[in-house]
Amino acid sequence: MSSQKKILVIGSNGQIGTVLTKTLGQKFGFENVIGSDLRMPDTPTKFIFEECSVLNKEKLERIINRYNISDVYLLAAYLSAKGEKNIDKAWDLNMNGLLHILNFAKEKKIQKIFWPSSIAVFGPSTPKNNVPQYTITEPTTIYGVSKLAGETLCNYYHSKFGIDIRSIRYPGIIGWESMPGGGTTDYAVDIFHEALKHQEYTCFLSRDRTLPMMYMNDAIQATIGIMEAQVDKIKIRTSYNLSSCHFSPNDLAEEIKKHIPSFKIKYKVDERDTLAQGWPSSINDRHARNDWGWEPNFNLSQIVSDIILNLRNRYKK
Ligand code: AKB
């Protein structure tokens, strides 16, 4: 295998994949980054793109061999809300996709894997605030169940076969460059677009449903940060707790009003609020900070200012 890092991002059209693939290209050279997803991206990309499902093991293997892939970021997943409507498919994609990639590493076809877990591994029996790394994990969504099983699988492959797999438990991720799909925390992205276009947003979570959240820039920094950390710094091979800020729809709306005073939020709560009800309000991430130097850069007011600035440019508002 050549010493040049060659990166494959699976799920490169998704909310995080879009920004991650671009950032990896800027950092390591677009000729060294291959994006893959179920369908072609809407706009041309600077990186190489391959249409492929993570469930298509043969095609994936051909891509890995063709480009001599060393590092895989596996982002393709059914998220919480969509997963509840497609339980079998969510389990299949979330588990078999991961298993394929772990087995490529076991067969020494790739060297390093990033796979995200989520705060959805926690459930109603987990403490609500400042949730420690090691605590009760009894998820109540198929997404959370698959992420918890995936964490255990990663740890098993690491201890049994020495696979270098690295993982963080993403909170809700918000940004302006890409749209989320199928998650419970999606409201915190939609709200900005509606605020700028219509000065009004109807929220599907309840007013005070506080959840752990993070700006996209911090999520990307954490993702590349854990992958680039020296191997001896990675002491947890299930998945690291990761935290930046936490807020409710009401907190977010109040912050948006500082920029768009006429903005109004209404509430029409649906089943996604029940999913969110089982999740923690805030997370303790001291292991990530101590082990590999994680530190977030954006608080709520900085996130809101940055998103509004960028979306105002886009919408010319
Ligand atoms: C979701 O809402 O399903 C995701 C998550 C918290 O992992 N954003």
Side-chain angles (χ1 to χ4, degrees):
M1 205 174 271
S2 96
S3 59
Q4 174 60 57
K5 190 194 286 291
K6 287 277 184 185
I7 301 169
L8 174 63
V9 179
I10 300 172
S12 60
N13 292 351
Q15 186 203 8
I16 299 170
T18 306
V19 188
L20 179 68
T21 316
K22 189 189 78 183
T23 312
L24 288 168
Q26 287 161 346
K27 195 170 165 62
F28 297 109
F30 284 99
E31 68 283 10
N32 297 314
V33 178
I34 292 88
S36 84
D37 213 307
L38 287 176
R39 49 176 177 79
M40 291 295 292
D42 294 334
T43 49
T45 58
K46 289 191 184 163
F47 54 85
I48 303 155
F49 182 82
E50 292 281 353
E51 214 170 308
C52 183
S53 159
V54 69
L55 294 177
N56 188 339
K57 196 170 178 210
E58 289 70 35
K59 188 163 182 192
L60 260 185
E61 186 166 353
R62 285 201 297 277
I63 294 171
I64 286 169
N65 289 337
R66 184 178 318 141
Y67 298 103
N68 214 356
I69 298 294
S70 54
D71 300 9
V72 173
Y73 290 76
L74 171 51
L75 299 178
Y78 261 77
L79 299 189
S80 55
K82 193 172 168 196
E84 289 311 283
K85 297 195 161 68
N86 304 273
I87 293 175
D88 294 1
K89 283 189 181 160
W91 178 261
D92 188 27
L93 180 72
N94 294 358
M95 294 312 299
N96 287 322
L98 174 61
L99 195 60
H100 290 164
I101 300 302
L102 285 167
N103 281 329
F104 289 138
K106 179 168 157 250
E107 293 156 13
K108 309 254 177 286
K109 295 191 164 82
I110 54 174
Q111 292 163 11
K112 214 194 278 184
I113 304 167
F114 174 81
W115 174 82
S117 183
S118 161
I119 54 161
V121 297
F122 303 118
S125 52
T126 307
K128 264 277 171 241
N129 296 307
N130 201 26
V131 172
Q133 176 72 36
Y134 300 103
T135 184
I136 302 167
T137 44
E138 292 179 330
T140 50
T141 60
I142 191 64
Y143 173 61
V145 169
S146 67
K147 286 296 179 188
L148 185 59
E151 287 189 5
T152 315
L153 192 64
C154 292
N155 195 44
Y156 171 74
Y157 265 68
H158 173 74
S159 55
K160 193 161 173 91
F161 306 113
I163 305 303
D164 190 358
I165 180 143
R166 303 170 182 210
S167 178
I168 51 193
R169 291 172 175 154
Y170 282 146
I173 310 289
I174 64 171
W176 59 272
E177 284 178 89
S178 52
M179 296 303 286
T184 301
T185 56
D186 296 6
Y187 89 89
V189 177
D190 301 341
I191 193 171
F192 286 96
H193 296 266
E194 294 304 308
L196 280 162
K197 287 193 277 190
H198 305 116
Q199 294 77 55
E200 194 174 289
Y201 177 66
T202 305
C203 185
F204 56 78
L205 294 191
S206 52
R207 184 184 182 277
D208 297 316
R209 181 69 62 224
T210 299
L211 291 172
M213 304 292 291
M214 179 174 290
Y215 196 33
M216 180 66 79
N217 302 36
D218 277 334
I220 299 295
Q221 186 214 313
T223 303
I224 300 177
I226 192 172
M227 276 296 263
E228 290 304 306
Q230 279 175 17
V231 69
D232 59 335
K233 303 269 184 219
I234 309 300
K235 306 201 192 307
I236 294 174
R237 295 292 184 162
T238 49
S239 189
Y240 276 94
N241 273 8
L242 198 72
S243 172
S244 129
C245 57
H246 52 275
F247 55 80
S248 66
N250 183 54
D251 299 331
L252 182 55
E254 289 303 316
E255 202 58 46
I256 291 175
K257 274 187 211 163
K258 292 181 188 163
H259 300 262
I260 309 172
S262 58
F263 175 63
K264 288 198 171 42
I265 186 163
K266 290 193 280 186
Y267 295 92
K268 190 162 181 262
V269 169
D270 68 22
E271 67 286 349
R272 286 171 281 189
D273 194 53
T274 316
L275 308 186
Q277 195 176 11
W279 294 349
S281 298
S282 62
I283 301 282
N284 183 308
D285 62 359
R286 71 178 176 83
H287 288 274
R289 290 173 190 252
N290 292 344
D291 291 0
W292 47 276
W294 154 248
E295 213 180 319
N297 285 312
F298 288 83
N299 62 28
L300 176 58
S301 88
Q302 291 164 320
I303 295 172
V304 172
S305 300
D306 205 51
I307 295 182
I308 290 187
L309 181 74
N310 282 290
L311 287 183
R312 274 204 164 120
N313 262 340
R314 180 187 291 175
Y315 291 129
K316 307 275 178 266
K317 292 266 183 186

